């Protein structure tokens, strides 16, 4: 990531550093074959900061390196180069997991346990006392609305229900940072809406959310900032509203103008005392932005210059 | 019963002898492992990165992860393993065992001379095989399944340390095995007890009454494929049904005159836990001079050596003060030397195989200036494959007075036992016949221990085998897939079981035919194993180098593998010998050693592994 920001003072730097929850520097992952020869470059020199209290979206087509990034941050994979820091600690440091919640792409849970047993098991892994576990399990089961099915083994659950219990296990420790891998996969429209509302609520509670998805509407709806990855490289990074604004076009919306005034609107709008409703750049859709980047990347492979405000 | 020479060493002596090689092995393994790890990382990444990663992993493991160990997390992992085991229908193993017991009785040899041995060997062996198979399957597939199903993602992203995952798995599977073993043990004991429990009837009309001696003699009824000869005293109103099928019965006389009846009690002596107190064995040759060993009568198995009849060829067991304390008057108020022997008989002339061979016991002093150097011989008769109990009353121990040339009674404690030491010599009295013996074949018999506790100790041995298999299974499953991990665990069992043989091949004790490559060449070129290999010098060098490397590797691995047969104490229980605390402690220490080392290796492998790769 290249930045156009001016160099911060030491105090600002300290403050901003303490705000950074996730930091990757030159993070690279190459899968190698048995003989150590490079097979797939899954992630190429990723530089990224995720700040406290924001919802950050990782966007990209299949195989772009989104899940690899999350796995590197969680210590499920080890980087081939560079570093990944979470709360200032190396990703391989297990103690960071005390403050993290993770919802995998598919809810990889033990199907022979029921909802209560599942949450109880994960609660124990956080060394929670029995009283605390019971209270938290009750809250979470109520939150995901599975009270009626809490005694059923997970193998009897629908995909949506499994997803919800997966989310509950990610929140069992009331984490400060939540990593969501394709959070709305398998959910119906209502479930999707509820998930998005929940993500926003988590942000309102001061939590940091890193989510990856290829469902553009979801990302557009909830994310404060996004990074677009393509073939392991960072292609775009910034605030969603900024990225989606069309800078070279101005859109004026007005009402109560006469036909004459409409004809001369560019020069005389104020002179004719028209009421200015808005004057702004029109926005594109995330889908359009995304497809543009993909097309551009295919035409001109390699690093893309990124400017973030 | 064959006793391994290492069993004669006391736990304390063994421990201090074993600790140095144990520590050396650990250091070698750790250094070897670190070098392998470094080379692998250095080749794939960079030597500096390798040092950084290894240093960081070791530092974090020791200074961060270890102090953060949580019993709750370990038990949570263990509970999960138990859940998982139950889901995999582990109780099927138990059901198989019950079915085996239910129908096994049909196929056991009902006319066997020692039914207790047969029953005990059957239940202990079947328990052992089933529980080891169970441990292998549970442990080898668990982590690979977690990795395959990716459930490991939701575990390693929690604050669970690698050693907690490893130990949780091991403890969980061990708990399942323990519960199953407890159930199997209880059912086995009931099966044995029910299988052996019986009684007989005695009809007074079938007995002969000797009015001079005031006792009945005769036989019991024929039940369970045997009867007993009986002697019943009319004075004491008690009698005994003599040993048959390895047991006796006590008999009580009820009633008088024509109403007399005999009540036969339950079997006695088939479920024993005898405590043998062993001495050190030395020999005198046929001329009475010190000899290194007895004679070799041509048997290839060198466990026992022989003494020749009607010569001065003598086997002498020396018992130290700890052994002779077993025969103090406090322990044996009836003042007898409780000797028991299990001699082999080798005959050089034709005759009745059932006939007994005469021998003699001589008690000797270890003090060369003692008043009594040796007692007069005390006679006995030995039969092949039968344990002979000889309680020698102190009053029967006499020596030949050199002045009067008459036999005089010996004060055993003052005249013979000096500084708590006593020697017992055995000679064969019949010309051209031989007695065979090993160190464990003659012993002082201490007070018996409880059979049930001995039976339980044998289950502890099986439990330790199960734990060792589980440890290796979980260890292999940290870096191999399920099937390969299962095969590797099986290989360790095989190598551990045949470690002695593999070492013998490597050290040329079993040299005919060479190693696998030479054997292959001989097979293809149709050359016999006894002939010299007919190939060019260069080819022979290559073959020998390959075989040497292969056998060396096998030998090293088999030395690392636990010696599973040593943990198998079924024979001791079946033959009615107590499993000594020395032996049990040694096995527990070995198991603990493996637990520590394998846990460290497994933890490091798990920590250095990319679970999502």
């Amino acid at each position: 990531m290249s930045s156009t920001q001016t160099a911060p003072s030491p105090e600002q730097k300290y403050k901003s550093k303490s705000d950074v929850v996730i930091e990757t520097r030159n993070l690279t992952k190459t899968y190698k074959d048995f003989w150590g020869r490079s097979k797939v470059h899954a992630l190429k020199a990723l530089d990224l900061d995720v700040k406290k209290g924001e919802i950050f979206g990782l966007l990209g087509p299949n195989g772009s390196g989104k899940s690899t990034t999350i796995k590197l941050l969680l210590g499920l994979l080890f980087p081939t180069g560079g570093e990944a820091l979470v709360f200032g600690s190396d990703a391989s440091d297990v103690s960071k997991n005390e403050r993290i919640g993770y919802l995998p792409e598919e809810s990889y849970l033990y199907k022979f346990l029921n909802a209560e047993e599942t949450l109880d098991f994960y609660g124990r892994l956080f060394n929670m006392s029995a009283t605390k576990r019971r209270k938290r399990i009750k809250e979470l089961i109520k939150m995901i609305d599975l009270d009626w099915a809490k005694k059923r083994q997970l193998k009897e659950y629908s995909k949506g229900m499994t997803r919800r219990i997966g989310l509950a296990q990610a929140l069992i420790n009331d984490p400060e940072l939540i990593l969501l891998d394709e959070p709305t996969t398998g959910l119906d429209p209502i479930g999707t809406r509820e998930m998005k509302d929940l993500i926003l609520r988590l942000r309102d509670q001061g939590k940091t959310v890193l989510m990856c998805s290829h469902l553009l509407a979801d990302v557009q709806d909830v994310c404060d900032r996004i990074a677009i990855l393509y073939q392991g490289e960072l292609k775009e990074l910034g605030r969603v509203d900024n990225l989606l604004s069309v800078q070279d076009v101005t859109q004026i919306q007005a009402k109560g103008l006469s036909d004459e005034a409409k004809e001369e609107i560019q020069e005389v709008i104020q002179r004719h005392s028209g009421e200015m409703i808005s004057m702004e750049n029109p926005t594109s859709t995330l889908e359009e932005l995304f497809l543009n980047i993909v097309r551009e990347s295919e035409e001109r492979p390699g690093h893309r210059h990124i400017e973030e405000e | 019963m064959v006793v391994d020479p290492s069993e004669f060493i006391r736990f304390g002596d063994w421990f201090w002898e074993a600790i140095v090689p144990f520590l050396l092995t650990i250091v070698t393994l750790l250094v070897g492992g670190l070098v392998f790890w470094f080379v692998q990382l250095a080749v794939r990444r960079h030597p500096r990165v390798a040092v950084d990663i290894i240093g960081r992993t070791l530092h974090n493991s020791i200074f961060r992860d270890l102090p953060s160990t949580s019993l709750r997390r370990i038990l949570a992992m263990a509970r999960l393993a138990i859940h998982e085991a139950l889901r995999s229908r582990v109780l099927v193993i138990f059901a198989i065992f019950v079915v085996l017991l239910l129908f096994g009785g049909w196929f056991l040899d009902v006319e066997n001379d020692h039914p207790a041995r047969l029953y005990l060997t059957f239940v202990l062996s079947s328990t052992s095989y089933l529980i080891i198979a169970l441990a292998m399957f549970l442990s080898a597939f668990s982590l690979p399944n977690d990795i395959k199903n990716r459930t490991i993602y939701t575990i390693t992203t929690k604050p669970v340390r690698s050693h907690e995952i490893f130990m949780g798995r091991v403890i969980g599977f061990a708990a399942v095995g323990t519960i199953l073993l407890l159930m199997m043990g209880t059912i086995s004991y009931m099966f044995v007890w029910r299988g052996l429990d019986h009684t007989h009837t005695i009809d007074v009309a079938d007995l002969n009454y000797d009015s001079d001696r005031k006792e009945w003699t005769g036989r019991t009824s024929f039940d369970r494929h045997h009867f007993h000869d009986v002697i019943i005293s009319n004075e004491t109103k008690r009698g005994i049904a003599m040993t048959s099928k390895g047991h006796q019965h006590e008999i009580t006389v009820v009633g008088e005159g024509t109403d007399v009846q005999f009540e036969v009690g339950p079997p006695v002596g088939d479920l024993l836990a005898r405590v043998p107190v062993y001495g050190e064995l030395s020999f005198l040759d046929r001329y009475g001079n010190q000899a290194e060993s007895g004679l070799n009568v041509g048997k290839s198995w060198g466990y026992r050596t022989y003494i020749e009849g009607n010569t001065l060829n003598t086997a002498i067991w020396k018992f130290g003060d700890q052994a002779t304390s077993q025969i103090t008057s406090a322990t044996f108020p009836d003042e007898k030397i409780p000797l028991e022997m299990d001699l082999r008989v080798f005959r050089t002339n034709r005759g009745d195989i059932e006939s007994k061979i005469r021998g003699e016991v001589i008690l000797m002093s270890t003090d060369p200036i003692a008043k009594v150097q040796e007692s007069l011989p005390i006679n006995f008769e030995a039969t092949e494959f039968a344990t002979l109990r000889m309680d020698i009353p102190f009053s029967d121990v006499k020596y030949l007075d050199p002045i009067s040339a008459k036999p005089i009674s010996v004060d055993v404690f003052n005249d013979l036992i000096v500084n708590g030491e006593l020697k017992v010599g055995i000679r064969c009295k019949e010309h051209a016949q031989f007695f065979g013996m090993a160190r464990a074949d003659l012993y002082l018999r201490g007070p018996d221990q409880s059979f049930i506790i001995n039976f339980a100790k044998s289950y502890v041995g099986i439990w330790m085998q199960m734990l060792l298999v589980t440890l290796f299974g979980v260890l292999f499953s940290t870096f191999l897939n399920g099937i390969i991990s299962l095969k590797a665990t099986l290989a360790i069992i095989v190598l551990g079981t045949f470690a002695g043989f593999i070492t013998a091949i490597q050290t040329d004790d079993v040299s005919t035919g060479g190693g696998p490559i030479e054997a292959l060449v001989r097979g293809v070129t149709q050359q016999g194993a006894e002939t010299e290999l007919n190939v060019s010098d260069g080819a022979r060098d290559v073959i020998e180098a390959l075989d040497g490397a292969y056998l060396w590797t096998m030998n090293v691995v088999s030395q690392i593998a636990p010696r599973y047969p040593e943990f198998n104490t079924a024979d001791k229980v079946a033959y009615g010998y107590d499993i000594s605390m020395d032996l049990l402690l040694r096995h527990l220490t070995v198991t603990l050693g493996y637990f520590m080392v394998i846990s460290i290796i497994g933890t490091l492998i798990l920590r250095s592994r990319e679970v999502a790769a």
Side-chain angles (χ1 to χ4, degrees):
Chain A
M1 181 192 76
S2 63
S3 172
T4 56
Q5 286 173 323
T6 53
S9 67
E11 291 78 18
Q12 282 175 317
K13 194 177 175 186
Y14 177 77
K15 191 169 178 241
S16 66
K17 273 283 174 193
S18 68
D19 275 354
V20 174
V21 173
I22 291 173
E23 191 181 355
T24 70
R25 291 285 165 263
N26 207 23
L27 188 63
T28 304
K29 179 66 189 175
T30 307
Y31 290 106
K32 297 184 173 179
D33 66 10
F34 179 79
W35 306 107
R37 295 173 302 192
S38 296
K39 209 166 65 175
V40 180
H41 297 286
L43 201 62
K44 297 169 193 166
L46 177 69
D47 288 332
L48 208 64
D49 285 344
V50 176
K51 295 186 180 68
K52 191 177 175 187
E54 71 174 343
I55 302 175
F56 192 95
L58 280 176
L59 194 59
N62 294 334
S64 60
K66 308 185 297 291
S67 289
T68 300
T69 307
I70 285 197
K71 284 171 187 168
L72 285 165
L73 290 170
L74 287 164
L76 293 170
L77 290 175
F78 303 148
T80 318
E83 60 178 354
L85 301 175
V86 181
F87 295 118
S89 301
D90 189 84
S92 64
D93 182 3
V94 183
S95 61
K96 74 176 190 314
N97 295 349
E98 299 273 5
R99 302 160 72 186
I100 292 179
Y102 168 55
L103 173 68
E105 190 176 354
E106 284 178 37
S107 299
Y108 304 124
L109 303 170
Y110 293 94
K111 308 274 187 228
F112 51 87
L113 299 177
N114 65 34
E116 275 187 334
E117 288 168 343
T118 302
L119 296 181
D120 185 67
F121 167 63
Y122 290 110
R124 283 169 193 267
L125 297 188
F126 281 100
N127 212 6
M128 290 163 73
S129 68
T131 322
K132 203 172 164 191
R133 282 202 309 272
R134 270 197 297 274
K135 187 167 170 275
R136 189 73 185 139
I137 290 168
K138 206 171 169 184
E139 283 170 7
L140 286 169
I141 287 188
K142 194 176 165 198
M143 185 192 89
I144 57 171
D145 199 18
L146 276 180
D147 206 37
W148 56 279
K150 64 183 178 188
K151 298 284 183 197
R152 280 166 54 181
Q153 285 189 330
L154 300 197
K155 65 182 174 195
E156 298 171 20
Y157 275 25
S158 69
K159 195 164 184 187
M161 289 161 77
T162 315
R163 207 77 193 121
R164 280 190 275 166
I165 192 71
L167 179 68
Q169 68 79 28
L171 299 176
I172 187 84
N173 56 326
D174 195 15
E176 294 168 48
L177 167 66
I178 300 139
L179 297 128
L180 306 170
D181 197 347
E182 308 284 356
T184 54
T185 306
L187 296 179
D188 60 19
I190 297 169
T192 304
R193 185 67 259 165
E194 284 173 354
M195 176 66 86
K196 288 195 277 193
D197 288 346
L198 178 78
I199 293 170
L200 292 170
R201 271 211 307 279
L202 290 170
R203 192 256 316 266
D204 295 343
Q205 289 167 15
K207 300 182 190 308
T208 311
V209 179
L210 172 68
M211 59 180 276
C212 77
S213 179
H214 55 252
L215 299 174
L216 305 175
D218 294 351
V219 175
Q220 188 173 358
D221 283 354
V222 297
C223 290
D224 299 318
R225 287 200 306 147
I226 57 167
I228 297 180
L229 297 172
Y230 184 74
Q231 291 182 345
E233 284 183 313
L234 182 64
K235 295 294 182 183
E236 191 59 273
L237 175 72
R239 293 195 60 80
V240 176
D241 43 10
N242 289 338
L243 290 174
L244 297 186
S245 74
V246 184
Q247 296 294 332
D248 56 352
V249 181
T250 302
Q251 178 178 293
I252 298 170
Q253 206 174 10
K255 74 173 184 181
L257 298 180
S258 65
D259 291 343
E260 295 80 12
K262 286 178 188 171
E263 288 168 9
E264 297 179 87
I265 194 159
Q266 289 292 345
E267 301 96 342
V268 297
I269 190 163
Q270 283 186 325
R271 192 158 28 98
H272 285 273
S273 306
E275 185 188 346
M276 181 72 74
I277 299 296
S278 68
M279 186 168 181
E280 59 191 7
N281 302 115
T283 55
S284 164
T285 62
L286 188 53
E287 185 178 4
E288 209 168 313
L289 173 72
F290 180 74
L291 291 175
N292 277 339
I293 286 173
V294 170
R295 270 195 295 273
E296 194 185 307
S297 298
E298 279 173 352
E299 284 163 14
R300 289 193 294 278
H303 272 293
R304 184 171 184 269
H305 182 68
I306 298 165
E307 285 187 8
E308 191 190 6
E309 305 74 36
Chain B
M1 198 189 65
V2 177
V3 176
D4 190 86
S6 65
E7 286 187 35
F8 301 121
I9 305 168
R10 300 189 67 79
F11 174 72
D13 300 336
W14 170 84
F15 182 81
W16 293 116
E17 262 180 41
I19 192 80
V20 175
F22 172 73
L23 291 176
L24 277 176
T25 310
I26 288 184
V27 171
T28 313
L29 275 176
L30 286 180
V31 171
L34 286 176
V35 169
F36 176 76
W37 193 8
F38 173 78
V39 170
Q40 192 201 18
L41 283 171
V43 169
R44 287 177 167 239
R45 306 276 296 271
H46 187 276
R48 208 170 44 234
V49 178
V51 171
D52 180 46
I53 290 176
I54 292 172
R56 199 146 30 97
T57 305
L58 291 179
H59 178 270
N60 287 349
S61 299
I62 297 166
F63 298 107
R64 289 193 181 172
D65 293 352
L66 207 57
S68 313
T69 304
S70 152
L71 185 63
R72 187 178 275 137
R73 279 197 290 264
I74 294 176
L75 292 181
M77 293 306 301
R79 274 166 60 107
L80 182 78
I82 294 171
H83 259 293
E84 202 176 271
L86 293 177
R87 182 197 57 135
S88 64
R89 310 269 190 274
V90 68
L91 288 174
V92 170
I93 292 285
F94 182 65
I96 291 174
F97 179 74
V98 173
V99 171
L100 266 178
L101 285 189
L102 286 175
F103 297 103
W106 292 359
F107 302 101
L108 293 179
D109 177 13
V110 289
E111 296 194 4
N112 189 285
D113 281 341
H114 296 280
R117 277 182 204 170
L118 194 68
Y119 275 65
L120 287 166
T121 310
F122 170 68
V123 292
L124 289 168
S125 305
S126 49
T127 305
S128 173
Y129 292 138
L130 282 172
I131 213 80
I132 284 174
L134 172 84
M136 243 168 46
F137 277 93
L138 281 182
S139 59
F141 283 97
S142 165
L143 270 174
N145 276 348
D146 261 0
I147 291 167
K148 191 174 144 199
N149 300 329
R150 299 181 183 179
T151 39
I152 194 90
Y153 287 14
T154 52
I155 290 179
T156 49
T157 52
K158 305 285 185 281
V160 190
R161 275 66 183 177
S162 304
H163 67 283
E164 292 170 338
I165 297 178
F166 188 91
M167 288 172 80
R169 292 278 165 186
V170 172
I171 291 172
F173 296 136
V176 173
T178 308
I179 293 164
L180 272 182
L181 264 182
L182 281 173
M183 286 163 42
M184 285 171 160
T186 310
I187 291 195
S188 296
Y189 183 75
M190 285 163 61
F191 173 77
V192 171
W193 181 73
R194 289 275 303 153
L196 297 178
D197 187 41
H198 68 280
T199 185
H200 300 266
T201 55
I202 300 173
D203 190 344
V204 69
D206 297 337
L207 300 180
N208 298 317
Y209 186 71
D210 184 335
S211 51
D212 294 338
R213 304 177 70 168
K214 293 187 179 171
E215 65 182 26
W216 288 276
T217 53
R219 283 179 174 181
T220 64
S221 58
F222 188 81
D223 296 298
R224 298 280 184 111
H225 311 281
H226 70 285
F227 60 80
H228 298 262
D229 291 328
V230 297
I231 303 174
I232 306 163
S233 164
N234 198 11
E235 281 184 332
T236 60
K237 302 292 182 192
R238 304 185 74 82
I240 189 150
M242 313 287 272
T243 302
S244 174
K245 302 270 181 193
H247 67 276
Q248 298 178 335
H249 295 267
E250 287 178 357
I251 301 165
T252 315
V253 181
V254 183
E256 292 279 346
T258 52
D259 293 333
V260 70
Q261 285 187 327
F262 304 99
E263 281 181 1
V264 182
V268 177
D270 48 358
L271 300 178
L272 284 175
R274 291 174 287 178
V275 180
V277 183
Y278 297 114
E280 287 168 28
L281 177 60
S282 62
F283 290 91
L284 298 179
D285 66 14
R286 68 201 310 269
Y287 307 108
N289 302 318
Q290 287 289 337
E292 279 186 12
S293 68
L295 303 169
N296 184 342
V297 293
K299 297 194 175 181
S300 54
W301 190 40
Y303 178 70
R304 289 188 173 86
T305 54
Y306 289 75
I307 53 171
E308 187 182 350
N310 203 24
T311 67
L312 291 176
N313 214 180
T314 314
I316 301 171
W317 281 265
K318 181 181 164 190
F319 296 95
D321 56 349
Q322 283 174 332
T324 52
S325 65
Q326 299 286 335
I327 53 168
T328 57
S329 52
T331 319
F332 292 92
D334 47 352
E335 298 200 329
K336 286 175 179 171
I337 297 175
L339 212 56
E340 202 160 272
M341 59 182 106
D342 187 15
L343 301 176
R344 292 291 175 272
V345 176
F346 181 75
R347 301 159 201 268
T348 56
N349 52 18
R350 275 187 162 190
D352 178 12
I353 193 83
E354 298 282 321
S355 71
K356 296 181 176 176
I357 303 294
R358 286 176 294 124
E360 56 192 25
V361 174
I362 304 125
L363 303 177
M364 305 169 182
S365 171
T366 57
D367 184 359
I369 55 165
K371 180 181 148 195
V372 177
Q373 284 299 305
E374 60 179 53
S375 72
L376 285 169
I378 301 155
N379 295 324
F380 69 90
E381 289 183 322
T383 315
E384 185 81 21
F385 304 118
T387 303
L388 179 67
R389 172 86 191 247
M390 267 185 91
D391 285 332
I392 304 172
F394 290 177
S395 56
D396 283 5
V397 183
K398 295 184 175 164
Y399 84 108
L400 193 65
D401 183 44
I403 300 164
S404 65
K406 286 181 181 170
I408 295 176
S409 288
V410 174
D411 180 345
V412 173
F413 284 116
N414 289 322
D415 295 341
L416 266 176
I417 299 177
V418 180
N419 296 327
E421 292 182 339
L422 172 72
K423 290 200 284 190
V424 176
I426 294 286
R427 286 191 195 125
C428 177
K429 284 177 76 173
E430 295 193 21
H431 176 69
Q433 311 287 34
F434 295 76
F435 281 155
M437 65 274 297
R439 187 175 170 184
D441 287 343
L442 183 141
Y443 49 85
L444 296 175
R445 185 168 158 184
D448 286 358
Q449 295 292 315
S450 151
F451 172 78
I452 294 185
I453 291 175
N454 204 36
F455 189 69
K457 283 184 196 166
S458 189
Y459 270 80
V460 174
I462 299 175
W463 181 83
M464 286 187 276
Q465 289 181 65
M466 175 207 71
L467 188 64
L468 288 170
V469 171
T470 305
L471 277 168
F472 274 97
V474 177
L475 172 70
F476 289 129
S477 74
T478 57
F479 61 98
L480 298 172
N481 74 32
I483 289 287
I484 305 294
S485 163
L486 181 76
K487 286 180 180 173
T489 314
L490 188 63
I492 285 288
I493 295 176
V494 172
L495 287 172
T497 306
F498 298 105
F501 178 67
I502 291 165
T503 307
I505 293 178
Q506 225 247 320
T507 54
D508 264 350
D509 284 355
V510 184
S511 58
T512 46
I517 307 290
E518 187 180 328
L520 179 69
V521 172
R522 283 179 187 276
V524 172
T525 55
Q526 298 186 347
Q527 298 182 50
E530 302 290 340
T531 58
E532 193 172 334
L533 186 65
N534 185 17
V535 290
S536 69
D537 288 347
R540 182 180 292 111
D541 289 345
V542 172
I543 289 169
E544 281 177 2
L546 288 174
D547 276 345
Y550 174 80
L551 290 172
W552 183 84
T553 313
M554 292 280 281
N555 191 27
V556 168
V557 178
S558 67
Q559 294 304 315
I560 293 169
R563 307 284 173 103
Y564 290 101
E566 287 183 14
F567 290 83
N568 185 357
T569 46
D571 266 4
K572 283 194 184 298
V573 177
Y575 282 80
Y577 288 101
D578 182 54
I579 300 163
S580 70
M581 284 312 288
D582 277 323
L583 190 64
L584 203 62
L585 273 176
R586 191 195 312 176
H587 290 164
L588 281 168
T589 310
V590 170
T591 309
L592 185 68
Y594 273 105
F595 183 83
M596 278 163 37
V597 175
I598 293 178
S599 297
I600 292 170
I601 298 173
T603 300
L604 287 176
I605 293 174
L606 206 53
R607 212 181 189 296
S608 60
R609 176 175 181 170
E610 290 182 297
V611 293

